[in-house]
Amino acid sequence: MDTLLSGLYWTLATALLAWIMALILGAIIGTLRTLPNRWVVRLANAYVELFRNIPLLVQMFLWFFVMPELVPTAIGDWLKQLPNAPFITAVLSLGFFTSARVAVQVSAGIGSLSRGQKMAGTALGLTLGQTYRYVLLPMAFRIIIPPLTSEFLNVIKNSAVALTIGLMELTARARSMQEFSFQVFEAFTAATIIYVLVNVVVVNLMRFIERRVAVPGFISGGGK
């Protein structure tokens, strides 16, 4: 149990930090994809296509094995000697990979809003930035809470890929248990149950948040 709890700690730490990073970057990139400046939109779309279309496993290998060789030698040596290099790499890889997916959700949420909301912000004298901050983004995030929940669950599950670069998260701990005890069924069954329990907690937490921030009649009655 101590081994599994240690793995759970690293799984949750990796997933939470990666999710915070993905949510911040995704909100920024997703917003940029809806701006009237076409060059900004193209750059934001390029970011999304780059990180969304490269497999997560490949990205982790690139960050962990290739990046230290591309930067100057002193920086590369420093990166290799970091005490928690697999953890930092996993957070960065998961964060960038998931941020591209979150950006698509954010831009879709903004695009689903009626033009009248943006025009209303302009009529009130709000700048474009203020319109996004006070009108569009709050309503868009209310709409995309369900898909964001799925992305959060994916971050938790995708953290298992980090075992390939040496991070001893939950799946890696279960694997090490079965290697020295030969109890494959017990080790992975316990890990599976822990994953299910964590995901159930996340789903219920996100449902609670969705109910708390819901605007009565907005989605069911139609945002347009």
Side-chain angles (χ1 to χ4, degrees), residues 139-210:
M139 300 308 294
F141 270 101
R142 286 173 167 86
I143 296 173
I144 64 174
I145 286 179
L148 286 183
T149 301
S150 297
E151 295 300 336
F152 193 5
L153 297 177
N154 285 335
V155 170
I156 296 174
K157 291 179 287 186
N158 287 338
S159 64
V161 180
L163 69 85
T164 58
I165 58 173
L167 181 64
M168 296 304 292
E169 43 71 58
L170 184 56
T171 302
R173 293 289 184 179
R175 184 178 179 182
S176 67
M177 287 174 58
Q178 65 92 14
E179 286 177 350
F180 69 72
S181 67
F182 300 102
Q183 294 178 324
V184 181
F185 177 80
E186 291 85 350
F188 283 100
T189 298
T192 300
I193 292 173
I194 293 175
Y195 275 119
V196 171
L197 292 176
V198 170
N199 288 341
V200 167
V201 171
V202 171
V203 169
N204 284 283
L205 177 61
M206 296 299 285
R207 284 177 179 172
F208 172 78
I209 294 175
E210 184 178 9

Side-chain angles (χ1 to χ4, degrees), residues 70-185:
L70 297 179
V71 297
T73 304
I75 299 177
D77 292 339
W78 175 76
L79 291 173
K80 295 175 184 177
Q81 296 171 4
L82 287 174
N84 292 319
F87 172 69
I88 296 172
T89 302
V91 170
L92 290 176
S93 301
L94 270 173
F96 282 116
F97 177 78
T98 309
S99 69
R101 300 171 61 88
V102 172
V104 174
Q105 304 291 351
V106 172
S107 59
I110 294 174
S112 69
L113 299 174
S114 64
R115 293 181 57 191
Q117 295 204 29
K118 186 175 182 180
M119 295 170 63
T122 304
L124 290 172
L126 300 179
T127 63
L128 182 61
Q130 290 173 330
T131 300
Y132 271 92
R133 178 180 177 185
Y134 296 112
V135 180
L136 300 181
L137 284 175
M139 300 308 294
F141 270 101
R142 286 173 167 86
I143 296 173
I144 64 174
I145 286 179
L148 286 183
T149 301
S150 297
E151 295 300 336
F152 193 5
L153 297 177
N154 285 335
V155 170
I156 296 174
K157 291 179 287 186
N158 287 338
S159 64
V161 180
L163 69 85
T164 58
I165 58 173
L167 181 64
M168 296 304 292
E169 43 71 58
L170 184 56
T171 302
R173 293 289 184 179
R175 184 178 179 182
S176 67
M177 287 174 58
Q178 65 92 14
E179 286 177 350
F180 69 72
S181 67
F182 300 102
Q183 294 178 324
V184 181
F185 177 80

Side-chain angles (χ1 to χ4, degrees), residues 54-73:
I54 300 177
L56 178 59
L57 180 60
V58 175
Q59 291 191 39
M60 284 203 178
F61 283 165
L62 289 175
W63 280 101
F64 192 72
F65 295 110
V66 179
M67 186 60 66
E69 305 299 331
L70 297 179
V71 297
T73 304

